[in-house]
Amino acid sequence: MRIKAVLDNGVEIRELLLDAEMTHQLTGINLEKAKEMAHEALDQGVVLTEFEGMITGKYFEVSGNNTGRYLIVKTITPVTITLNAAEIEAAVEVV
Amino acid sequence: MSEDNKSQTQYKREPAVRLFAQELSQTTVAISKEQGEKADRFAPSYSYSPTGARINRVFIVGTLTEIDEIGGDSNFIKGRLVDATGAINIMAGQYQPEVSGILRRLSDKLPAFVAIVGKPNIYKPKDGGSYTSIRPESVQIVDQKAVEMFTAETAKRTVERISLLKKAVSDGNGSEDLKMVIAAYNPNIEDLKNMVRVAIGKIPPNTNNQTTTNGDGGGVKTQPPAPEKGVSKEAAKAELSKDQNVISAHILLKDMCTLSEDGSVGGSVFVDRIVQRKLASADTALTLIKSVMDQGLAYEPTMGRLKAVA
């Protein structure tokens, strides 16, 4: 079990590959649990939906090995950006 | 990832541009794909926003305020996403079954914070006007923190774009894309800067930089702004009567909607009535309607029809 995802900063994208261990670390779901979920719902799709809910639309910082197409993820951590209105306003005034 | 690799094997996924609802809703320039020998139906198409962002895909976080089924066979589902700067429609059709499903399930949980990834869709009816909506690829519920992060990131990116745009406007240099954007939108740098100020809560929406006592920072304006001391009385008066017309038009529309069968009113009927009531002339009626819509007091449930927001 693994996750393929796209990391997008608005300027460029990276395709990410999370192996079973990284997937477990990020989502708390391992293959056993995933099987269980699919079994209960009688639908394999629930696992993907669950992952999507946890990951998409959120901000992460990622490091890993860049191969041809995929970035093999070694670490992935949620990031928090704080809205610094004063700083942004200063930038607006400079323009 | 090498450039060669990219062009040989596949098209690289287009990044999702960060921009505020106001900017996206004002995006009217779409470049049709190149014709000729090199034409390629898999080549991405782009829109250009007023600040010069080249858009194939967008990422936007805001409040989903309403969801409507459109058409008898529920072929289309329409949502409305609102952020501090404005609002944009989300249109999911039969080819986005997952997203349509998510939107339907959200319809009794509104309002909700959502993060949306999608493609801009610009519709230009023959009789004029331009309607921009998002065809969503993904819709996810998020928390308020995500909204704040999106605002921070998008404000920063938007300022970067405005800065480049201003440079291109003042020295006439800049990329072909930017020149085209300037020619198409004739951008007002100050208005664009105000959009960012509104987004970060430094000024209230739709008041052209006046400080007001309008309590809610990002919501729909419900009363005319109290003009700031510095503003001349004339200007304040003009602003006030403009606002009053917007409010009158909103009340008129609300009344008309109540009386109509499906709760909405045809655009041209509304224009006639506005002229009749002398809220605006035939020439300025559309501008007035636009102001009403910009303030979130009305929207188009279907093309060409208007519905008042109570």
Side-chain angles (χ1 to χ4, degrees):
Chain A
M1 186 174 66
R2 60 180 183 176
I3 292 177
K4 285 184 183 177
V6 177
L7 185 70
D8 181 328
N9 67 0
V11 180
E12 57 177 339
I13 62 119
R14 282 281 185 279
E15 288 179 272
L16 308 180
L17 210 51
L18 283 78
D19 63 15
E21 199 192 317
M22 286 307 307
T23 301
H24 183 211
Q25 246 182 57
L26 181 64
T27 63
I29 296 171
N30 58 15
L31 187 57
E32 293 295 296
K33 170 90 171 126
K35 276 183 182 167
E36 215 172 278
M37 287 163 61
H39 199 72
E40 272 171 28
L42 299 174
D43 177 11
Q44 297 183 5
V46 292
V47 182
L48 176 61
T49 309
E50 184 74 18
F51 285 165
E52 281 174 346
M54 290 180 189
I55 300 169
T56 52
K58 302 210 161 71
Y59 289 73
F60 292 97
E61 201 169 272
V62 172
S63 74
N65 298 334
N66 212 354
T67 65
R69 176 170 174 182
Y70 291 101
L71 183 77
I72 313 292
V73 177
K74 293 282 175 235
T75 67
I76 177 164
T77 29
V79 290
T80 313
I81 310 168
T82 312
L83 175 62
N84 186 338
E87 190 184 296
I88 293 167
E89 199 193 14
V92 173
E93 297 315 322
V94 172
V95 172
Chain B
M1 208 173 290
S2 78
E3 289 295 309
D4 294 343
N5 195 356
K6 176 172 97 185
S7 57
Q8 273 169 18
T9 54
Q10 68 209 319
Y11 286 101
K12 203 171 177 183
R13 185 187 160 94
E14 291 287 328
V17 177
R18 273 59 160 166
L19 71 181
F20 292 117
Q22 184 191 334
E23 185 175 351
L24 190 55
S25 66
Q26 288 170 355
T27 295
T28 55
V29 177
I31 298 301
S32 47
K33 289 172 193 176
E34 281 175 38
Q35 302 293 319
E37 270 181 51
K38 282 204 160 177
D40 181 342
R41 65 198 182 94
F42 294 113
S45 58
Y46 294 102
S47 309
Y48 290 85
S49 81
T51 61
R54 193 177 76 148
I55 311 163
N56 173 261
R57 176 177 277 121
V58 294
F59 176 64
I60 183 162
V61 182
T63 313
L64 195 63
T65 56
E66 49 188 283
I67 287 173
D68 284 305
E69 298 273 354
I70 306 218
D73 305 327
S74 55
N75 276 334
F76 267 93
I77 183 153
K78 173 177 158 286
R80 192 162 175 83
L81 183 87
V82 181
D83 72 8
T85 66
I88 183 92
N89 286 338
I90 317 291
M91 301 281 274
Q94 53 181 320
Y95 299 114
Q96 292 94 36
E98 288 114 27
V99 175
S100 301
I102 292 170
L103 288 174
R104 279 196 188 94
R105 263 173 275 141
L106 279 176
S107 60
D108 55 357
K109 298 192 185 81
L110 298 181
F113 292 128
V114 292
I116 290 180
V117 177
K119 305 225 170 187
N121 187 24
I122 299 171
Y123 170 64
K124 290 188 177 170
K126 284 202 186 77
D127 55 353
S130 178
Y131 305 90
T132 305
S133 59
I134 304 176
R135 197 172 68 236
E137 295 173 317
S138 142
V139 176
Q140 289 294 338
I141 295 206
V142 295
D143 55 14
Q144 192 172 359
K145 187 72 199 162
V147 180
E148 185 191 323
M149 283 164 62
F150 169 80
T151 306
E153 188 195 19
T154 305
K156 211 174 141 201
R157 298 270 187 240
T158 307
V159 172
E160 285 167 7
R161 290 198 300 268
I162 297 172
S163 173
L164 279 176
L165 182 71
K166 192 187 177 191
K167 242 178 237 146
V169 169
S170 58
D171 65 13
N173 293 323
S175 67
E176 289 302 313
D177 283 356
L178 268 187
K179 282 180 190 160
M180 189 269 295
V181 164
I182 292 164
Y185 291 105
N186 187 21
N188 179 330
I189 299 293
E190 205 47 42
D191 284 353
L192 295 171
K193 284 163 72 172
N194 274 341
M195 174 177 71
V196 179
R197 292 187 185 110
V198 168
I200 60 175
K202 283 289 168 187
I203 57 170
N206 295 323
T207 50
N208 296 326
N209 213 6
Q210 294 176 23
T211 310
T212 75
T213 48
N214 175 16
D216 62 337
V220 172
K221 192 167 58 170
T222 50
Q223 56 191 28
E228 203 184 7
K229 286 167 243 151
V231 181
S232 81
K233 274 194 178 150
E234 305 279 289
K237 217 169 161 185
E239 186 69 24
L240 207 64
S241 76
K242 204 177 107 201
D243 268 350
Q244 265 159 2
N245 279 351
V246 168
I247 291 165
S248 309
H250 173 229
I251 293 169
L252 173 63
L253 181 62
K254 235 178 10 191
D255 292 346
M256 288 171 74
C257 285
T258 319
L259 294 171
S260 83
E261 272 179 21
D262 63 348
S264 71
V265 175
S268 53
V269 177
F270 187 46
V271 168
D272 290 348
R273 196 66 78 84
I274 284 177
V275 176
Q276 198 187 332
R277 291 275 188 103
K278 296 198 166 54
L279 293 173
S281 70
D283 294 332
T284 55
L286 285 177
T287 319
L288 178 62
I289 294 176
K290 196 171 175 307
S291 313
V292 175
M293 291 175 73
D294 283 349
Q295 300 201 12
L297 298 173
Y299 65 97
E300 283 191 293
T302 51
M303 292 303 168
R305 294 193 72 81
L306 290 163
K307 191 170 179 174
V309 176

